Amino acid sequence: MIAAMSTASMSGILVLVVVCLLLVILWQHQRYRQSSHQLKYIHQKLESIITQGSHERLLLFSSNKELQVLLNDLNRMLDINHLGTAQRVKLEKSMRNMLSNISHDLKTPLTVVVGYIETILHDKSITDSERERILQTIHQKANQVITLMNTFFDLAKLESGDRDIPLTRVELGETCRRNILSFYDLLSAKGSEVQIDIPDDSLYIMGNEEALDRILSNLLSNAISYGDAGGVLGLRLYSDEKNVYIEVWDRGKGITESHQDKVFERLYTLEDSRNRAYQGSGLGLTITKRLTEQMNGTIKLTSQPFVRTGFTVSFRRLRF
């Protein structure tokens, strides 16, 4: 009797174990099927996002912690990919604009050169004085092309890192005085008022004099070209405990807020800069920004039309 009960008990336990095992197997099978469906969804969704180039993210509710980590990582990769795509589109648009502007700036003087050369070749009635005037114009236009190409190659070298800018101890007061003096005759001829604010105390930075001259020349030329309607151009040098600042400002028509984040882009120019009265390559401010950054500085723009438009470059101050 006891043996029979023992056997029945063992059988019951065995049946219970088998049932438990079956339940575990069934549970694992369900989890496997669920995981399989989730992975299939992830695959299909990723394929759809990549094919369509959409900015969607992977959204999936799951209690599987490993799968949650995988989804987070995949979404981070998608964010990086979306950012890269946006930057690529922006770069492609910038390159198209750049090529268009280069073509415009090269075509204009070259067309004049070709036209005048044809005149000299085919018009036998022109006088010596007319021929001399035409040759001077050809020379001027050819120099414009050379200047534009040199400027473009300078920017290419800066952006590729091929141009090394050695830094030494530079006193900015003398640099500012030298550069504003080089434009003084032009400003006087235009009838512009010049306001100079340079302290008597010496202010030093680690910089490159040639690069600083290029920066100030570009900023002063830009202010003269676009700000002379205001009748005032200013150069201010000042400092605080950590930095030294150079501001070139004017009271001209300024730059609207929608354009302010674009003025440092390659060959970006305001619409009226394509007109004869505002000719420019659109490379000056881009080169200015690159040179400033290579000397570990920053540049910013503030503009209120016909009140004050200023470009300010800042550098770490030296205390010796």
Side-chain angles (χ1 to χ4, degrees), residues 105 125 185 280:
D105 289 335
S125 64
D185 289 341

Side-chain angles (χ1 to χ4, degrees), residues 1-11:
M1 184 69 177
I2 295 175
M5 290 179 63
S6 176
T7 300
S9 177
M10 291 294 294
S11 298

Side-chain angles (χ1 to χ4, degrees), residues 42 45-47 49-50 54-59 71-85:
I42 292 173
K45 195 65 177 178
L46 274 175
E47 188 175 23
I49 291 173
I50 293 172
S54 67
H55 288 187
E56 295 181 75
R57 293 170 62 88
L58 293 170
L59 300 177
L71 285 171
N72 287 334
D73 290 341
L74 287 173
N75 281 325
R76 287 172 57 196
M77 290 186 65
L78 286 173
D79 289 340
I80 294 172
N81 181 67
H82 296 159
L83 179 61
T85 300

